């Protein structure tokens, strides 16, 4: 088990954790609590990543497990979110722009508070749920695998 708490930002950095239930938190003490030009790679286990600000041009990778991602701001500029097999949850507090999210098989849930713009979201098999608070625009693509899936837009 690994617990990492950063009060500030993660800039041009890489973080890797091995198997186990890991927690990675980036909060704003005197800075904006962002992750920019960085990678966070968590191995198997039930992992949690919480980022108070934005994710910009970065990758966050979860291996198999029931993982949770909480982002207070935007996910932008080619950021990549990857979830392995398991029942995963991602909550994005603002927009998902020019980025990609991929979920392995399982009962996955993705909440995006505002818009999805020029992005791709892909789910493998399972009963998955996506909720987008505003619009899906600019050639965005959402792909579901086998299962009973739900897409709610503007709710």
């Amino acid at each position: 088990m690994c617990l990492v708490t950063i009060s500030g930002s993660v800039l041009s950095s890489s973080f890797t954790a091995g198997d186990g239930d890991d927690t990675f938190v980036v909060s704003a003490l005197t800075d904006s609590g962002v992750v920019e030009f960085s990678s966070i790679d968590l191995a198997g286990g039930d992992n949690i990543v919480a980022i108070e600000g934005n994710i910009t041009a970065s990758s966050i990778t979860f291996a198999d497990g029931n993982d949770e991602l909480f982002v207070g701001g935007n996910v932008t500029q080619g950021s990549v979110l990857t979830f392995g097999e398991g029942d995963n949850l991602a909550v994005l507090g603002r927009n998902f722009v020019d980025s990609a999210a991929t979920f392995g098989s399982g009962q996955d849930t993705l909440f995006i508070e505002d818009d999805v713009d020029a992005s791709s979201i892909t789910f493998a098999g399972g009963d998955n749920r996506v909720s987008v608070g505003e619009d899906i625009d600019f050639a965005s693509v959402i792909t579901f695998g086998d299962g009973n899936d739900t897409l709610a837009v503007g709710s």
Side-chain angles (χ1 to χ4, degrees):
M1 182 174 127
C2 178
L3 171 62
V4 175
T5 301
I6 297 172
S7 295
S9 294
V10 176
L11 306 173
S12 299
S13 300
S14 178
F15 173 80
T16 303
D19 287 339
D21 299 342
D22 304 314
T23 301
F24 189 91
V25 177
V26 179
S27 62
L29 182 61
T30 58
D31 205 331
S32 56
V34 300
V35 174
E36 295 181 349
F37 308 103
S38 298
S39 66
I40 299 170
D41 189 359
L42 303 173
D46 297 340
N47 301 300
I48 299 170
V49 173
I51 298 168
E52 190 169 336
N54 298 326
I55 298 174
T56 305
S58 297
S59 66
I60 299 179
T61 303
F62 298 93
D64 294 348
N66 300 322
D67 302 310
E68 298 177 359
L69 172 65
F70 302 96
V71 180
N74 298 303
V75 177
T76 64
Q77 297 182 8
S79 293
V80 177
L81 310 177
T82 305
F83 295 83
E85 293 185 12
D87 298 339
N88 302 298
L89 170 66
V91 178
L92 311 182
R94 297 290 312 274
N95 299 296
F96 190 65
V97 180
D98 189 32
S99 295
T102 303
F103 294 82
S105 62
Q107 313 283 334
D108 302 310
T109 303
L110 172 61
F111 293 106
I112 300 172
E113 184 67 29
D114 291 331
D115 294 331
V116 175
D117 296 327
S119 295
S120 68
I121 301 168
T122 305
F123 293 90
D127 297 340
N128 302 298
R129 180 176 179 218
V130 177
S131 177
V132 177
E134 298 292 330
D135 299 315
I136 301 174
D137 295 319
F138 305 110
S140 294
V141 176
I142 299 176
T143 305
F144 292 101
D146 293 336
N148 296 313
D149 304 307
T150 303
L151 173 62
V153 179
S155 57

